[in-house]
């Protein structure tokens, strides 16, 4: 089955340009001109990916992300003319998976689409049952289940992949580029704000005091390390 992608963009020529290029690569494409139209389609259609602008009439992109994230972990790529780091962090913090600044190249967008879809549809191999434990955190690689003190923790696919990489490399300082290319893919390497946001999410879900973490630590100027 081909992946279903919703393109949400109020600028019609750009929306149709994106839709044509996705359709030409075999994706099923739906279109929405604003956040309200997109929310209606999200509620009625089975979507594999949403590509959305931030500045739209009726409902902006951030509010749309917030509403979607109340119900779904469907991957979201933001396309926006806003290129300040604070804009990217805000979108990622609300639940976006990726952020591409306008103007962008169509091949770059298609590469990001492939990466996000591959990550969201990834199924771990079942040849051996691998369970990792660090402190009171337990991660089951095969089932994708994460427990903290025996209680289930709900993680997105990206959060899971980031935690898995850290837990497979305890006590090792992993630099930003290494983590980005391992978790997000070889197309990434400079998006350090992604790591700040996602590490913050993991700390809120897994640490007693996210502001003073015991396990998920920052090595300033270097990267991150998971301490048992």
């Amino acid at each position: 089955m081909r992946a279903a992608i919703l393109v949400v963009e109020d600028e019609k020529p750009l929306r149709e340009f994106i839709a044509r290029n996705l359709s030409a690569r075999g994706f099923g494409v739906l279109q929405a001109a604003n956040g309200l139209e997109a929310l209606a389609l999200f509620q009625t259609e089975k979507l594999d990916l949403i590509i959305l602008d931030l500045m739209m009439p009726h409902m902006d992109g951030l509010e749309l992300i917030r509403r979607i994230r109340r119900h779904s972990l469907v991957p979201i790529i933001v396309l926006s003319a806003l290129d300040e780091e604070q804009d990217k962090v805000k979108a990622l913090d609300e639940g976006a998976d990726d952020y591409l600044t306008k103007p962008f190249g169509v091949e770059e967008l298609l590469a990001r689409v492939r990466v996000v879809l591959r990550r969201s549809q990834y199924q771990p191999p079942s040849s051996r049952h691998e369970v990792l434990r660090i402190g009171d955190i337990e991660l089951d690689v095969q089932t994708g289940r994460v427990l903290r003190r025996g209680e289930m923790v709900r993680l997105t696919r990206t959060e899971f992949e980031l935690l898995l990489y850290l837990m497979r490399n305890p006590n090792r300082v992993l630099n930003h580029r290494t983590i980005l290319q391992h978790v997000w893919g070889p197309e990434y390497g400079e998006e350090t704000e992604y790591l700040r946001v996602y590490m913050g999410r993991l700390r809120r879900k897994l640490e007693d005091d996210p502001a003073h973490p015991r396990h998920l630590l920052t090595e300033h100027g270097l990267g991150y390390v998971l301490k048992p």
Side-chain angles (χ1 to χ4, degrees):
M1 294 179 62
R2 61 181 185 169
I5 301 176
L6 172 60
V7 180
V8 191
E9 167 64 62
D10 62 320
E11 187 180 335
K12 185 177 180 181
L14 178 57
R15 183 177 72 248
E16 293 184 342
F17 170 77
I18 295 169
R20 283 197 306 272
N21 277 277
L22 292 171
S23 296
R25 272 71 174 186
F27 296 110
V29 183
L30 296 88
Q31 299 184 43
N34 58 64
L36 288 178
E37 288 182 17
L39 192 60
L41 286 169
F42 164 73
Q43 292 168 342
T44 58
E45 303 289 336
K46 186 180 184 304
L47 302 172
D48 298 293
L49 172 63
I50 299 173
I51 300 173
L52 59 83
D53 189 13
L54 289 183
M55 296 183 292
M56 296 183 293
H58 307 306
M59 180 189 297
D60 66 28
L62 289 178
E63 179 61 23
L64 178 58
I65 294 171
R66 279 192 288 269
R67 297 199 185 192
I68 290 170
R69 283 292 174 256
R70 292 173 191 168
H71 308 284
S72 172
L73 297 177
V74 61
I76 297 173
I77 296 177
V78 168
L79 299 180
S80 178
L82 302 173
D83 62 355
E84 296 294 328
E85 183 174 327
Q86 63 187 23
D87 299 311
K88 297 178 183 180
V89 168
K90 188 179 295 185
L92 293 166
D93 234 356
E94 294 293 351
D97 295 271
D98 206 346
Y99 192 110
L100 200 56
T101 303
K102 300 176 183 177
F104 56 88
V106 66
E107 291 303 325
E108 182 180 10
L109 172 60
L110 292 169
R112 299 292 181 105
V113 166
R114 289 191 294 269
V115 167
V116 170
L117 287 174
R118 184 168 66 243
R119 192 164 62 238
S120 68
Q121 296 166 1
Y122 169 77
Q123 295 294 326
S126 57
S127 58
R128 63 191 182 94
H129 198 171
E130 183 181 4
V131 177
L132 304 174
R133 294 179 180 85
I134 296 289
D136 54 15
I137 303 167
E138 177 181 303
L139 183 150
D140 189 316
V141 179
Q142 271 57 51
T143 65
R145 187 176 68 171
V146 175
L147 302 177
R148 179 172 178 259
R149 296 174 184 159
E151 296 291 328
M152 186 80 73
V153 179
R154 187 168 181 256
L155 299 183
T156 67
R157 169 53 59 184
T158 304
E159 290 167 353
F160 178 86
E161 290 296 324
L162 176 56
L163 180 62
L164 174 61
Y165 186 52
L166 292 169
M167 290 186 73
R168 280 179 168 167
N169 295 276
N171 289 315
R172 285 183 58 194
V173 177
L174 303 168
N175 67 48
H176 301 122
R177 178 176 289 275
T178 298
I179 299 173
L180 284 163
Q181 294 193 339
H182 184 91
V183 176
W184 274 263
E187 299 86 352
Y188 298 78
E190 305 301 325
E191 298 84 351
T192 55
E193 65 271 16
Y194 286 31
L195 292 179
R196 289 201 303 276
V197 170
Y198 275 86
M199 289 297 290
R201 288 190 200 173
L202 287 179
R203 285 167 178 158
R204 289 193 293 272
K205 293 180 179 183
L206 298 171
E207 296 277 7
D208 289 326
D209 182 357
H212 302 91
R214 293 171 52 235
H215 300 303
L216 300 164
L217 306 181
T218 301
E219 291 290 336
H220 294 288
L222 296 174
Y224 297 93
V225 59
L226 189 146
K227 293 282 189 179

